[in-house]
């Protein structure tokens, strides 16, 4: 079981807005460690999508945004497109056990 | 443009030792703030962080696998090696190496394409 909890799946129609949650605890997100998000298209390696809770690397469309509050974070995707169909993972740092990097269990986004 | 590539055996037998090599380009593991990590993904499952090594030699391991993992770097060859002992079928996964740099702190910002490793007798 992953340290960071994500819903297994979400779906939305083209043009709609969807959100993906990432729930942690007081030793990771709640300890003020940054949350990052990755997009993994089918059969490919993960790609950095959001860093530092709400920042986009160059080249990532502004349809993707992140937020964080308390022990949770969220990824929002607006204007949903078919090419957004992918798995999405959150990632943070956990201060327990001498410090480790942790990923969420992943969320499969289906564009209807 | 930063690039990483994993290499190693595609099939290992249970109890054997796996050695994976990450060969990278366009960055140096002697530059302050830079690191290389290993992450794996069993078929159809989530990502799991395994280990990371930093420019200053600092190493961190996943607590659940720490006794089985060793990560080393060869700065002159631009390589990072991950050794995992006592392989088991549950270790069947795609193994990725990834760059950690100062531009996007805390992230694995560039990933290799991954190396699929199957564990079977």
């Amino acid at each position: 079981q992953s340290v960071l909890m994500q819903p297994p799946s979400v779906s939305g129609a083209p043009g709609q807005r969807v959100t993906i949650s990432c729930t942690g605890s007081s030793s990771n997100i709640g300890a003020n460690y940054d949350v990052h998000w990755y997009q993994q298209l089918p059969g490919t390696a993960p790609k950095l999508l959001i860093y530092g809770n709400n920042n986009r690397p160059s080249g990532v469309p502004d349809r993707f945004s992140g937020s964080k509050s308390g022990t949770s974070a969220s990824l929002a995707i607006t204007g949903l497109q078919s090419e957004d169909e992918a798995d999405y993972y959150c990632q943070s740092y956990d201060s327990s056990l001498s410090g480790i990097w942790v990923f969420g269990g992943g969320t499969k986004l289906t564009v209807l | 443009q930063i690039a990483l590539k994993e290499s190693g055996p595609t099939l290992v037998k249970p109890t054997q030792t796996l050695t994976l090599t990450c060969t990278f380009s366009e960055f140096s593991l002697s530059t302050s703030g830079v690191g290389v990590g290993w992450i794996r993904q069993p078929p159809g499952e989530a990502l799991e962080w395994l280990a990371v090594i930093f420019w200053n030699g600092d190493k961190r391991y996943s607590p659940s696998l720490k006794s089985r993992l060793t990560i080393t770097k060869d700065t002159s060859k631009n390589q990072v090696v991950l050794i995992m002992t006592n392989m088991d079928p549950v270790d069947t996964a795609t193994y990725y190496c990834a760059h950690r740099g100062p531009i996007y702190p805390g992230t694995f910002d560039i990933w290799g394409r991954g190396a699929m490793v199957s564990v079977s007798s």
Side-chain angles (χ1 to χ4, degrees):
Chain A
Q1 189 164 349
S2 301
V3 173
L4 304 179
M5 301 300 294
Q6 298 180 235
S9 63
V10 298
S11 63
Q16 284 191 332
R17 177 181 186 268
V18 296
T19 61
I20 298 172
S21 62
C22 175
T23 303
S25 67
S26 59
S27 62
N28 43 68
I29 299 175
N32 208 31
Y33 292 111
D34 285 340
V35 177
H36 320 290
W37 292 88
Y38 300 83
Q39 177 192 59
Q40 186 175 32
L41 297 170
T44 69
K47 167 194 166 187
L48 181 63
L49 193 66
I50 296 288
Y51 71 96
N53 307 314
N54 56 11
N55 302 289
R56 289 183 306 275
S58 58
V60 174
D62 60 5
R63 301 187 296 104
F64 296 90
S65 64
S67 64
K68 174 188 153 186
S69 178
T71 58
S72 295
S74 289
L75 172 71
I77 309 172
T78 58
L80 207 55
Q81 299 180 3
S82 59
E83 56 260 40
D84 298 332
E85 188 159 293
D87 293 323
Y88 293 84
Y89 293 90
C90 59
Q91 177 244 312
S92 186
Y93 181 85
D94 194 294
S95 58
S96 63
L97 299 170
S98 302
I100 58 172
W101 287 264
V102 290
F103 286 93
T107 299
K108 169 68 177 176
L109 169 62
T110 300
V111 181
L112 302 171
Chain B
Q1 186 165 340
I2 289 175
L4 305 96
K5 184 176 182 180
E6 306 86 351
S7 59
T10 57
L11 178 66
V12 298
K13 296 184 185 323
T15 75
Q16 285 188 336
T17 294
L18 171 68
T19 300
L20 291 170
T21 300
C22 176
T23 303
F24 53 86
S25 59
E26 301 303 321
F27 71 92
S28 173
L29 203 37
S30 60
T31 300
S32 179
V34 173
V36 172
W38 285 94
I39 302 101
R40 72 177 179 179
Q41 185 174 35
E45 297 187 25
L47 302 169
E48 178 185 18
W49 171 74
L50 300 177
V52 64
I53 189 165
F54 293 98
W55 85 101
N56 59 359
D58 187 21
K59 306 172 185 179
R60 304 285 182 90
Y61 296 101
S62 167
S64 62
L65 294 167
K66 185 175 183 178
S67 63
R68 298 173 54 205
L69 294 174
T70 302
I71 190 170
T72 62
K73 64 182 175 79
D74 187 327
T75 305
S76 64
K77 291 184 178 179
N78 280 355
Q79 290 182 334
V80 170
V81 173
L82 182 74
I83 297 172
M84 180 180 288
T85 61
N86 194 24
M87 293 292 284
D88 184 273
V90 300
D91 297 313
T92 293
T94 297
Y95 288 75
Y96 297 99
C97 63
H99 169 268
R100 285 178 54 87
I103 296 179
Y104 304 121
T107 73
F108 297 99
D109 58 353
I110 306 292
W111 296 56
R113 300 177 79 170
M116 179 65 199
V117 178
S118 297
V119 184
S120 175
S121 55

